Amino acid sequence: MFASIGTALLTEGASLISQSLISSFDYPPPSGQPFPVGVPAFLLQDYREAWSIINLSPKSSATLARRCLQAMIRDFCGIRERTLYQEIATLEKRLADDSLPKGVEPETIEAMRAVKDIGNIGAHMTEVDGTIVDVEPHEAETLLGLIEMLFSDWYVAREKRQARLDAIQQLAASKKEPQLPKGA
């Protein structure tokens, strides 16, 4: 009998505490730019989550931006190495070989390295001169700006380009002279 009363009180107390925490905790709504065309859902999930926690945990936001970048390199560029550092190095080699996919520009590779470095600070405690380095919200926002640019330059541009090419092919097919039967 006492166990059931204690359990009921504990359950009721926990429920009140969770309701109180939920109502007082203003979880930031997802933000960032909408990307309805061409960007894979698994990338958008990390992107939106990074934006949703940017003020609550800039380190986590930067880490998610880094994760998103690595997934983009693997998905869009077809490069899969053991580490993001190695994947960026492979991008540089492919730049030298002139074998990068359309939309991958040389000037973004150095920025990718910065996302990797700052994302590493978010994921691993880093010290400079005995001081722990932290990630600020505006820094995480800058990293997410690169992710947005790459979404536009890589995925959205590829999708729009393909749609334009498909429209041209359909137009050309519709304008071809119909085949008349022999003897007509």
Side-chain angles (χ1 to χ4, degrees):
M1 177 172 143
F2 288 112
S4 63
I5 292 172
T7 303
L9 288 173
L10 182 60
T11 304
E12 183 180 325
S15 175
L16 289 173
I17 290 171
S18 357
Q19 288 174 1
S20 170
L21 283 174
I22 290 170
S23 64
S24 67
F25 182 65
D26 186 20
Y27 190 76
S31 57
Q33 293 183 25
F35 288 97
V37 179
V39 181
F42 71 96
L43 294 173
L44 289 174
Q45 183 178 357
D46 282 350
Y47 166 75
R48 289 183 184 125
E49 186 176 342
W51 268 112
S52 73
I53 61 170
I54 199 163
N55 292 315
L56 183 64
S57 178
K59 289 182 283 194
S60 296
S61 182
T63 302
L64 281 165
R66 182 197 182 285
R67 172 187 161 109
C68 193
L69 175 64
Q70 186 165 19
M72 290 169 68
I73 291 171
R74 290 177 175 190
D75 179 64
F76 190 83
C77 301
I79 296 173
R80 182 176 290 274
E81 301 288 346
R82 198 174 67 77
T83 66
L84 179 55
Y85 176 86
Q86 293 169 338
E87 289 168 346
I88 293 171
T90 301
L91 269 176
E92 289 174 325
K93 288 176 191 168
R94 288 183 61 186
L95 171 64
D97 297 343
D98 197 28
S99 63
L100 291 173
K102 283 190 184 315
V104 180
E105 301 296 329
E107 62 270 11
T108 59
I109 294 174
E110 204 52 44
M112 290 177 191
R113 199 174 303 289
V115 170
K116 177 199 72 72
D117 291 345
I118 296 170
N120 283 350
I121 290 170
H124 309 288
M125 191 177 298
T126 304
E127 289 186 40
V128 174
D129 298 330
T131 304
I132 296 174
V133 178
D134 218 346
V135 179
E136 299 298 323
H138 70 278
E139 295 168 332
E141 188 174 334
T142 300
L143 301 182
L144 289 169
L146 175 65
I147 300 301
E148 291 170 353
M149 184 184 81
L150 294 177
F151 280 170
S152 291
D153 290 354
W154 292 4
Y155 292 99
V156 175
R158 177 177 65 185
E159 189 75 20
K160 286 181 178 179
R161 181 177 184 273
Q162 190 58 54
R164 285 182 189 124
L165 294 173
D166 290 346
I168 291 168
Q169 292 297 327
Q170 290 173 358
L171 178 63
S174 72
K175 296 296 181 183
K176 285 187 177 180
E177 290 186 52
Q179 297 289 332
L180 296 176
K182 289 185 179 181

